[in-house]
């Protein structure tokens, strides 16, 4: 059984499937009574109140769920079971990590838990859909009004139990029944194939079987049978499959009375008249006796019988006696109604044998209908000497009463009876299954299970007879065996291990079963029986890869490198078949834990496609808390690839933190996942698009000036708003790095890499979004808590930052002098020095990140200014100009503040030698254009705001002309120095014009903040 969660590890992971919420902690849950949909709605309601989810800068979880609404509906329908499977697997993983060894017994317990989940689901669904399913199986569709009424009642009951209108159907019940059977088959087969590891089963066998120490001539056949099963693993496996088939038929098949109902109606005798036997033939015989006044028994040779004793349609001669073998002995027939009665009786016997009912149950049924002779005819002289009878229990209800040779001989006599052409197909099938024949049983097989039953019954009996011939030849005298033929066993001449494969492949083409054989769960059952699970999952994974390739490049399923073609004779499990993907995924994990390491297989990537497809469903269905659990079972590289794809769409910071913690618990390399995530996104970006954008020079100034007295204006909206999906993914990738504790250098380098991608491809809207979503101030405050022990922005002034951190510690009565003295003491302290050294180091590591952010902020300020300036140019009325002046002043101040950091030492120190060329390319592409645009801003503002702004152009010229100016070197390297000189010269002329106009009106000289005036540029007339 799965652990109850008493251990600390179990308690830690018990809450992992719910989104974290500070106001909600999930306690114990009652798995069998709680509705998943109700829990999902509660969770969604609580999440909607989270301020992190209502941020205007990011999509909320509700937005994402709305986008995936159709899949969410599917997830809600099966979500409760999805979570139960995940929780059960998680608890098993915790135990496995604690023991660190292969434990087959725990694997068997896990299979039992999966089977229990399926059976519990069947019980719940049977409560609502059981009656309708029985009506369908019985062939009664019911009236439309009745169906509508039942549908409404089911909906009401679902609502009362918390399903909130969620609809399930009869098909859901049937599918879960089939899944429960599949888990039951796997449970039995694993225990059969790993018998040496099943301690409890071995103990039970030892106690129940009580193997005889030695087989002697007087040992009953049941004792030989027990020894045979105990000593032959293949026989025990076939015995297990046979028992499973009988159990499935007994639990999900039609009622026997319902099956024979249509034959009863054709028997034309109503109900309660079973005990009257061949009623119509008996009346015909009595009529002949009355006509002839014949007191003795009628004989077929009696005069005139052949011409008068006929069936009602006058076509067949009727039997003259009522003993059971009259039809075969006399070669005559029964009345049509009695033939239907006979068929119904043998059909009931077949169904009881097919369902594994004991001989006592069959005898009781026959006695109720005064047909006890039938039960006696089906019982061998040596009790339980057929596969069906011997499989019911280890201990026979009675001891052998006949000869030790009677069992094999009796089976051959049953074979002879089965091949009598004068009996019905159902009677033939009954004797056929008792003899181990296949052909006679196939006549009445209706389903895939029936055919497998027929073959495995024959397989087991044939293997048993072979065992008798080799180990106990005295029990099968050759002289006697030659007198009776045995069933044909051509299919058994192949290798014993390949018989299951041959049978499963045969059923794919059988006209009766080929449609059912395409059912995914039947395909899984087939591969389990044939012991070809590894090949099956490989081909299914290969099919998923082919489908993904046909639809274009898949984000989660790579193209296969295998040269093997998908199996065309089997249907492929699709991406939309989430239930089958779930079953296969958990089975793959089970076989891994049993020692079959698919990760070392040459087909590993194809097999893992199944797990990845199921993980993708979990993500789209909102079960994000389960993603690390399932991804951890993949190979290391595929884990990183899978999570790198699936986790990028997670938007809620709390959920990111929760998933990061889960990955750490599951020993997943989070850093590798995030690195892979970024590599995958970069690989998705079109290389042709990047090449085309790099070929175009970066220009934000118009080609020509619109006013001869003004410089070239800046283009409106030159940044734009176009951000591709891949670019959004890169932004989210950097946000994921913020969740990691520490990793300052990796996070900064990642941000630099993304900035370089955006800037080299001139995707300025994406670069601006990056500067707003992850500014350096946010990176610093979120990272320094784990590095410095407190959240601070290391880019701010050190002294002021320290004061802010200690705000509130001083008293309002402390004098200013005292505060300065305390500040000096703090500066002298060694701890402050170490803190300052750490902060300086962090700043140095992030220098390039900060410089890229400065560039983007400057571009954003220039675009904002260009839009405001365009409004000023297009406005002619004084009131309108007056209204626009404050926004223009504010925009100009922001441009000045943003551009000034770029004028000295900007982007001259590369992060790494590999990035030196790229950073130099960005510097040459952007810096000259930004400086020229800055001159244009100052020139326009000098006219529109204040002439004193023109002096900044002169300051800029002095900065560029300085001996150590890196700006001049940048202009020279790109050949644009002449443009800068022309712009500054044009500005100088504007200063002269502005001074001429200003000297006529201004009596005083306004000074700038540095005490400068325009007097130097005043030209006085002589």
């Amino acid at each position: 059984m799965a652990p109850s969660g008493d251990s600390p590890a179990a308690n830690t992971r018990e809450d992992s499937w719910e989104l974290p919420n500070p106001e909600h902690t999930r306690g114990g849950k009652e798995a069998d009574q709680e509705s998943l949909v109700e829990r999902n709605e509660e969770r969604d309601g609580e999440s909607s109140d989270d301020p992190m989810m209502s941020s205007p800068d990011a999509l909320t979880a509700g937005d994402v769920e709305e986008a995936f609404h159709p899949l969410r509906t599917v997830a809600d329908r099966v979500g409760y079971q999805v979570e139960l499977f995940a929780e059960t697997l998680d608890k098993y993983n915790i135990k496995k990590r604690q023991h660190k060894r292969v434990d087959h017994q725990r694997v068997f317990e896990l299979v039992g838990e999966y089977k229990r989940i399926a059976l519990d689901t069947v019980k719940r669904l049977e409560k609502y859909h059981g009656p309708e399913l029985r009506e369908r199986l019985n062939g009664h569709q019911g009236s439309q009004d009745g169906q509508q009424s039942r549908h409404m009642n089911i909906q009401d009951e679902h609502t009362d139990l918390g399903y909130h209108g969620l609809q399930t159907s009869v098909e859901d019940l049937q599918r879960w029944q089939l899944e429960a059977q599949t888990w039951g088959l796997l449970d039995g087969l694993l225990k059969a194939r790993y018998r040496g590891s099943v301690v409890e089963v071995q103990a039970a066998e030892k106690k129940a079987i009580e193997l005889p120490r030695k087989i002697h001539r007087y040992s009953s056949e049941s004792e030989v049978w027990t020894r045979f099963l105990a000593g032959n693993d293949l026989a025990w496996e076939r015995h297990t499959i046979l028992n499973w088939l009988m159990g499935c038929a007994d639990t999900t098949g039609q009622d026997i009375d319902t099956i024979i109902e249509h034959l009863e109606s054709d028997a034309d005798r109503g109900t309660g008249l079973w005990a009257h036997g061949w009623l119509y033939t008996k009346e015909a015989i009595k009529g002949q006796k009355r006509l002839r006044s014949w007191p003795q028994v009628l004989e077929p040779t009696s005069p005139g019988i052949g011409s008068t004793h006929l069936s009602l349609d006058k076509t067949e001669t009727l039997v003259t006696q009522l003993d059971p073998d009259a039809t075969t002995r006399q070669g005559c027939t029964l009345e049509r109604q009695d033939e239907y009665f006979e068929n119904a009786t043998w059909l009931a016997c077949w169904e009881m044998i097919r369902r594994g009912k004991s001989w006592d149950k069959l005898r009781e049924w026959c006695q109720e209908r005064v047909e006890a002779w039938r039960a006696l005819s089906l019982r061998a002289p040596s009790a339980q000497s057929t596969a069906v009878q011997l499989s019911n229990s280890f201990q026979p209800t009675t001891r052998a009463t006949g000869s030790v040779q009677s069992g094999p001989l009796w089976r051959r006599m049953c074979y002879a009876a089965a091949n009598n052409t004068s009996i019905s197909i159902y009677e033939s099938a009954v004797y056929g299954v008792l003899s181990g024949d296949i052909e006679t049983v196939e006549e009445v097989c209706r389903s895939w299970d029936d055919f497998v039953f027929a073959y495995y019954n024959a397989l087991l009996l044939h293997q048993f007879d072979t065992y008798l011939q080799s180990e106990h030849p005295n029990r099968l005298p050759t002289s006697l065996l030659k007198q009776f033929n045995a069933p044909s066993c051509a299919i058994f001449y192949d290798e014993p291990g390949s018989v299951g494969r041959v049978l499963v492949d045969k059923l794919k083409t059988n006209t009766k079963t080929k449609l059912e054989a395409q059912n995914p769960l039947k395909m899984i059952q087939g591969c389990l029986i044939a012991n070809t699970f590894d090949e099956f999952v490989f081909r299914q994974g290969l099919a998923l890869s082919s489908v993904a390739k046909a639809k274009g490049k898949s984000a989660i399923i790579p193209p296969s490198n295998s040269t093997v073609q998908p199996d065309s004779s089997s249907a492929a499990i699709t991406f939309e078949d989430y239930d089958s993907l779930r079953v296969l995924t958990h089975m793959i994990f089970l076989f891994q834990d049993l020692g079959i390491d698919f990760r070392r297989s040459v087909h590993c990537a194809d097999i893992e496609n199944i797990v990845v497809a199921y993980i993708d469903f979990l993500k789209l269905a909102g079960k994000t808390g389960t993603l690390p659990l399932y991804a951890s079972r993949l190979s290391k590289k595929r884990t990183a690839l899978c999570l790198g794809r699936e986790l990028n769409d997670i938007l809620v910071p709390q959920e990111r933190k929760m998933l990061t913690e889960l990955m750490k618990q599951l020993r997943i390399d989070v850093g590798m996942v995030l690195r892979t995530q970024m590599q995958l996104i970069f690989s998705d970006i079109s290389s042709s698009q990047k090449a085309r954008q790099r070929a175009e020079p970066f220009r934000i100034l118009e080609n020509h000036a619109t006013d001869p007295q003004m410089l070239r204006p800046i283009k409106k909206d030159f940044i734009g708003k176009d951000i591709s999906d891949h670019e959004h993914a890169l932004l989210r990738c950097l946000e994921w790095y913020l969740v990691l504790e520490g990793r300052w250098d990796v996070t900064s380098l990642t941000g630099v890499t993304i900035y370089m991608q955006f800037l080299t491809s001139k995707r300025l809207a994406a670069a601006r979004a990056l500067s707003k979503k992850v500014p350096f101030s946010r990176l610093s405050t979120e990272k320094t808590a784990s590095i410095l022990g407190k959240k601070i922005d290391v880019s701010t002034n050190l002294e002021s930052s320290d004061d802010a951190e200690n705000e509130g510690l001083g008293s309002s009565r402390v004098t200013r002098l005292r505060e300065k003295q305390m500040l000096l003491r703090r500066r002298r302290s060694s701890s402050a020095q170490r803190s300052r050294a750490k902060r300086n180091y962090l700043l140095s590591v992030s220098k390039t990140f900060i410089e890229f952010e400065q560039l983007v902020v400057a571009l954003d300020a220039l675009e904002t200014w260009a839009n405001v300036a365009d409004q000023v140019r297009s406005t002619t009325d004084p009131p309108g100009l007056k209204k626009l002046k404050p926004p223009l002043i504010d925009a100009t101040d922001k441009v000045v503040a943003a551009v000034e950091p770029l004028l000295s030492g900007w982007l001259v120190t590369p992060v790494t030698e590999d990035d030196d060329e790229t950073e130099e390319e960005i510097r040459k592409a952007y810096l000259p254009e930004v400086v020229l645009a800055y001159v244009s801003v100052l020139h326009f503002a000098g006219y529109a705001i204040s002439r004193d702004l023109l002096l900044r152009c002169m300051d800029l010229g002095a900065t560029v002309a300085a001996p150590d100016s890196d700006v001049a070197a940048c202009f020279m390297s790109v050949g644009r120095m002449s443009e800068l000189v022309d712009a500054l010269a044009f500005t100088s002329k504007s200063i002269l014009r502005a001074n001429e106009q200003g000297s006529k009106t201004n009596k005083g000289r306004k000074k700038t903040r540095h005490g400068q005036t325009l007097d130097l540029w005043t030209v006085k007339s002589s």
Side-chain angles (χ1 to χ4, degrees):
M1 297 297 290
S4 61
D6 296 336
S7 65
N11 291 333
T12 300
R13 297 297 299 280
E14 183 68 22
D15 303 334
S16 62
W17 315 120
E18 296 293 331
L19 295 180
N21 193 302
E23 299 178 359
H24 172 64
T25 302
R26 184 179 178 187
K29 61 179 183 291
E30 297 178 2
D32 292 336
Q33 299 178 3
E34 183 179 3
S35 167
L36 171 67
V37 181
E38 185 176 13
R39 281 164 35 199
N40 283 342
E41 292 193 354
E42 291 174 357
R43 180 172 61 195
D44 295 342
E46 291 165 357
S47 299
S48 63
D49 297 333
D50 190 335
M52 298 300 294
M53 298 180 65
S54 59
S55 171
D57 296 333
L59 292 173
T60 64
D63 295 329
V64 178
E65 291 182 4
E66 182 65 24
F68 298 125
H69 176 70
L71 196 56
R72 168 65 78 178
T73 302
V74 176
D76 286 342
R77 180 175 59 82
V78 299
Y80 181 43
Q81 290 75 22
V82 166
E83 288 198 350
L84 284 178
F85 271 83
E87 290 173 1
T88 303
L89 176 64
D90 185 44
K91 292 175 182 178
Y92 168 77
N93 280 352
I94 293 173
K95 280 189 172 183
K96 188 176 72 170
R97 287 197 300 271
Q98 292 172 348
H99 291 81
K100 297 182 180 180
R101 63 181 178 86
V102 177
D103 190 339
H104 292 169
Q105 187 63 33
R106 294 190 187 278
V107 175
F108 302 147
E109 291 174 0
L110 184 58
V111 177
E113 285 297 303
Y114 294 154
K115 179 182 177 182
R116 181 189 60 79
I117 294 171
L119 290 174
D120 288 346
T121 305
V122 169
K123 288 180 181 178
R124 286 195 295 271
L125 291 175
E126 280 181 340
K127 181 178 180 182
Y128 310 121
H129 305 296
E132 184 179 355
L133 176 59
R134 284 189 289 273
E135 286 189 5
R136 286 193 182 185
L137 292 176
N138 297 341
H140 303 306
Q141 298 299 325
S143 65
Q144 183 175 359
D145 294 339
Q147 287 186 346
Q148 182 176 3
S149 175
R150 180 171 59 254
H151 177 78
M152 293 176 62
N153 291 337
I154 292 174
Q155 182 176 7
D156 294 340
E157 290 175 354
H158 276 239
T159 304
D160 294 339
L161 290 177
Y163 282 87
H164 302 285
L166 184 65
Q167 291 297 314
T168 55
S169 63
V170 175
E171 287 72 22
D172 292 318
L173 172 57
Q174 291 177 308
R175 207 217 66 80
W176 276 104
Q177 285 178 338
L178 196 55
E179 179 173 336
Q181 294 172 5
T182 305
W183 288 117
L185 173 63
L186 180 64
D187 185 30
L189 285 179
L190 290 183
K191 291 176 180 178
R193 290 168 182 169
Y194 294 87
R195 294 177 75 185
S197 304
V198 191
V199 180
E200 294 181 3
V201 173
Q202 284 182 326
E205 288 179 3
K206 184 176 180 180
K207 181 178 179 180
I209 299 177
E210 295 182 356
L211 295 176
R213 294 183 179 181
K214 184 178 180 181
I215 299 297
H216 48 79
R217 62 177 299 183
Y218 298 108
S219 298
S220 67
E221 192 172 21
S222 62
E223 292 176 333
V224 181
W225 173 262
T226 301
R227 172 69 68 176
F228 163 66
L229 291 180
N232 192 306
D233 291 340
L234 182 59
W236 180 258
E237 179 180 322
R238 291 170 175 173
H239 168 267
T240 300
I241 294 174
L242 201 60
N243 276 341
W244 171 75
L245 289 166
M246 291 187 291
C248 292
D250 192 34
T251 55
T252 60
Q254 292 176 268
D255 294 334
I256 294 179
D257 291 341
T258 303
I259 292 175
I260 64 177
E261 182 178 349
H262 71 282
L263 292 175
E264 284 185 304
S265 62
D266 291 334
D268 195 18
R269 64 185 62 211
T271 59
L273 295 179
W274 274 90
H276 292 270
W278 298 338
L279 183 61
Y280 291 88
T281 304
K282 182 188 298 184
E283 290 299 320
I285 294 174
K286 289 181 178 180
Q288 288 293 325
K289 287 185 176 182
R290 285 194 296 268
L291 287 174
R292 300 171 183 273
S293 299
W294 214 309
Q296 63 267 32
V297 177
L298 287 177
E299 295 291 344
T301 56
S302 298
I305 287 294
S307 59
T308 58
H309 190 44
L310 302 176
S311 60
L312 291 178
D313 55 7
K314 307 300 181 181
T315 58
E316 300 287 344
T317 302
L318 298 178
V319 296
T320 60
Q321 299 169 8
L322 298 178
D323 51 300
D325 66 338
T327 56
T328 57
R329 189 183 72 254
Q330 297 182 359
C332 300
T333 63
L334 303 175
E335 285 285 10
R336 180 185 58 83
Q337 295 92 335
D338 293 331
E339 286 184 349
Y340 284 121
F341 167 80
E342 187 75 3
N343 286 340
T345 306
W346 284 114
L347 174 59
C349 293
W350 153 254
E351 287 294 335
M352 295 183 74
I353 294 175
R354 172 68 181 84
R355 297 169 193 225
K357 300 297 184 181
S358 66
W359 181 82
D360 290 334
K361 291 287 185 182
L362 191 148
R363 176 178 53 82
E364 290 176 5
W365 189 90
C366 292
Q367 281 183 335
E368 290 176 359
R369 292 155 177 79
V370 195
E371 298 284 337
W373 67 268
R374 298 181 192 270
L376 291 174
S377 71
L378 303 180
R379 183 176 177 84
S382 178
Q384 298 187 347
S385 59
T386 69
V388 176
Q389 293 170 334
L390 289 167
S391 296
N392 284 332
S393 64
F394 286 117
Q395 295 185 359
T397 55
T398 59
R399 304 299 291 178
T401 57
S403 168
V404 294
Q405 305 166 352
S406 61
L409 292 175
W410 183 79
R411 285 193 289 274
R412 296 193 177 209
M413 287 187 289
C414 286
Y415 174 67
N419 285 274
N420 190 326
T421 57
S422 63
I423 62 176
S424 69
I425 58 173
Y426 298 110
E427 183 178 0
S428 179
V430 168
Y431 287 111
V433 75
L434 296 177
S435 66
D437 186 34
I438 295 177
E439 294 182 1
T440 54
V441 181
E442 282 184 316
E443 293 293 326
V444 299
C445 290
R446 299 176 298 170
S447 66
W448 188 90
D449 284 9
D450 289 343
F451 279 93
V452 177
F453 172 81
Y455 276 84
Y456 266 79
N457 175 72
L459 272 171
L460 195 55
L461 285 178
H462 174 75
Q463 187 178 358
F464 182 50
D465 285 343
T466 303
Y467 167 80
L468 291 176
Q469 292 177 15
S470 62
E471 299 296 328
H472 306 283
N474 60 317
R475 304 179 73 91
L476 294 171
T478 306
S479 59
L480 291 176
L481 293 180
K482 289 182 178 180
Q483 300 178 24
F484 304 96
N485 294 326
S488 175
C489 303
I491 190 175
F492 309 141
Y493 296 149
D494 296 326
E495 290 294 326
S498 65
V499 173
R501 179 197 291 266
V502 172
L503 172 59
V504 172
D505 290 341
K506 182 178 180 180
L507 295 181
K508 294 177 183 178
T509 58
N510 189 302
T511 55
K512 291 184 178 181
T513 59
K514 63 180 180 180
L515 182 61
E516 186 181 4
Q518 302 302 313
N519 183 295
L521 288 174
K522 280 298 176 188
M523 291 192 296
I524 295 174
Q525 292 176 5
C527 77
L528 292 176
I529 291 174
N531 201 14
T532 57
F533 182 79
D534 53 346
E535 179 182 345
F536 177 77
V537 292
F538 158 60
R539 292 190 177 276
Q540 290 301 323
L542 187 64
L544 289 175
S545 179
S546 300
V547 172
K549 183 179 179 181
K551 295 181 179 179
K553 184 178 180 181
S554 173
I556 60 171
I557 305 294
S560 176
N561 296 323
S562 176
T563 58
V564 179
Q565 296 299 320
D567 186 5
S568 59
S569 64
S570 298
I573 293 175
T574 65
F575 286 95
E576 293 75 22
D577 190 355
Y578 313 115
D579 292 315
S580 298
L581 290 175
R582 170 177 50 78
V583 172
L584 274 182
T585 295
H586 289 86
M587 284 189 178
I588 289 173
F589 295 162
L590 289 167
F591 280 101
Q592 282 180 341
D593 294 333
L594 288 171
I596 303 176
D597 194 352
F598 298 107
R599 290 173 292 189
R600 296 183 180 179
S601 169
V602 294
H603 305 306
C604 172
D606 297 303
I607 294 173
E608 289 183 336
N609 287 341
I610 297 172
V611 182
V612 172
Y614 182 62
I615 292 174
D616 188 58
F617 158 70
L618 293 173
K619 193 270 300 244
L620 297 179
K623 311 299 179 184
T624 53
T626 64
L627 302 188
L629 172 66
Y630 287 92
S632 67
R633 302 299 295 266
L634 300 170
S635 58
K636 187 175 181 180
K637 182 178 179 181
R638 195 66 183 272
T639 296
L641 287 170
C642 178
L643 292 180
R645 284 294 189 192
E646 303 294 0
L647 297 185
N648 186 263
D649 294 331
I650 306 299
L651 304 178
V652 184
Q654 285 180 314
E655 196 170 356
R656 287 172 176 163
K657 292 180 181 179
M658 179 265 290
L659 290 170
T660 302
E661 290 302 318
L662 287 177
M663 285 189 281
K664 290 179 180 178
Q665 293 178 22
L666 293 164
R667 301 173 185 175
I668 297 174
D669 188 343
V670 183
M672 182 180 180
V673 170
L674 298 186
R675 288 194 304 272
T676 304
Q677 181 183 97
M678 190 169 67
Q679 293 168 1
L680 290 171
I681 299 170
F682 276 128
S683 69
D684 293 338
I685 299 175
S686 171
S687 58
S688 60
Q689 180 182 11
K690 291 189 292 182
R692 183 176 64 254
Q693 291 177 335
R694 288 189 179 190
E696 301 172 357
F698 174 69
R699 296 292 183 266
I700 61 175
L701 292 172
E702 298 287 357
N703 294 330
H704 304 285
T706 56
D707 188 339
Q709 293 186 355
M710 306 297 291
L711 291 171
R712 289 182 298 161
I714 302 174
K715 298 176 182 178
K716 286 179 57 180
D717 299 321
F718 64 85
I719 292 181
K721 299 180 179 179
D722 179 30
I723 304 177
S724 68
D725 292 338
H726 295 318
E727 291 164 346
H728 278 299
L730 282 176
L731 298 179
R732 293 191 294 269
C733 182
L734 183 57
E735 288 182 307
W736 264 101
Y737 273 96
L738 298 181
V739 179
L740 294 181
E741 292 184 355
R743 309 285 184 94
W744 179 282
D745 51 347
V746 177
T747 305
S748 298
L749 183 59
T750 301
V752 168
T753 304
I754 296 174
Y755 265 127
M756 286 195 294
Q757 167 63 33
F758 292 159
L759 293 174
T760 53
S761 59
K762 300 175 182 61
R763 301 293 296 174
L764 300 183
R768 177 168 60 186
L770 176 56
S771 68
K772 292 182 180 297
K773 282 183 173 291
V774 190
F776 180 76
S777 58
R778 180 187 175 190
L779 185 152
S780 179
T781 54
E782 294 198 19
K783 288 288 185 182
T784 50
S786 59
I787 299 175
L788 300 177
K790 51 191 173 184
K791 291 186 176 183
I792 59 173
D793 180 0
V794 298
S795 63
T796 59
N797 182 272
L798 299 183
E799 288 78 7
S800 62
S801 177
D802 287 337
D803 291 339
E805 293 159 16
N806 294 279
E807 183 179 358
L809 296 178
S811 171
S812 60
R813 293 171 293 180
V814 178
T815 63
R816 190 177 186 84
L817 179 60
R818 178 63 175 167
E819 292 175 346
K820 290 182 179 180
Q821 292 174 346
M822 293 175 63
L823 178 61
L824 290 174
R825 283 197 296 270
R826 286 199 301 271
R827 287 178 178 174
R828 295 191 188 100
S829 66
S830 59
S831 61
Q833 291 176 358
R834 288 194 299 270
S835 177
R836 193 157 40 249
K838 288 182 180 179
R839 292 164 67 173
N840 288 333
Y841 169 75
L842 297 179
L843 276 173
S844 65
V845 172
S846 304
K847 184 176 182 295
T848 304
F849 182 88
I850 296 173
E851 290 174 336
F852 279 139
E853 183 180 313
Q854 289 171 343
L855 171 62
V856 176
V857 170
L859 293 173
D860 184 45
L862 288 170
E863 185 194 55
T864 302
W865 184 92
N867 293 335
V868 176
D870 183 72
Q871 296 181 30
V872 173
R873 294 189 192 97
S874 60
T875 303
T876 56
D877 58 299
L881 290 172
K882 184 177 180 180
K883 186 177 181 180
L884 288 172
K885 189 171 184 179
L888 184 63
I889 294 173
D890 181 64
T892 302
D893 291 341
K894 290 182 178 179
V895 169
V896 172
V899 174
E900 288 294 331
L902 308 182
L903 302 179
S904 177
W906 179 77
L907 209 62
V908 295
T909 306
V911 179
T912 63
E913 293 181 1
D914 297 336
D915 295 331
D916 189 7
E917 182 180 349
T918 304
E919 292 181 20
E920 183 63 21
E921 178 185 349
I922 293 173
R923 177 178 166 81
K924 291 178 180 179
Y926 287 91
L927 185 58
E929 191 72 6
V930 169
V931 172
L932 292 173
Y934 182 45
V935 175
S936 179
V937 169
L938 295 177
H939 183 265
F940 183 89
Y943 279 96
I945 300 175
S946 170
R947 292 175 299 159
D948 294 337
L949 289 172
L950 296 173
L951 291 175
R952 286 190 176 272
C953 293
M954 299 302 99
D955 294 339
L956 175 61
T959 301
V960 174
D964 57 346
S965 173
D966 55 273
V967 177
C970 184
F971 270 91
M972 292 294 292
S973 64
V974 296
R976 302 189 67 181
M977 179 59 79
S978 60
E979 294 182 51
L980 178 60
V981 171
D982 291 343
L984 292 176
F986 191 88
T987 304
S988 300
K989 293 178 182 179
S990 299
I991 292 176
L992 291 175
R993 288 194 298 269
N995 190 56
E996 280 184 25
Q997 297 172 1
S999 62
K1000 298 177 183 180
T1001 57
N1002 295 338
K1003 296 180 181 179
R1005 299 300 182 195
K1006 183 179 179 182
K1007 295 183 179 182
T1008 66
R1009 57 178 178 166
H1010 299 296
Q1012 300 165 319
T1013 67
L1014 294 176
D1015 289 342
L1016 177 63
W1017 302 92
T1018 301
V1019 180
K1020 298 182 180 179
S1021 59
S1022 56

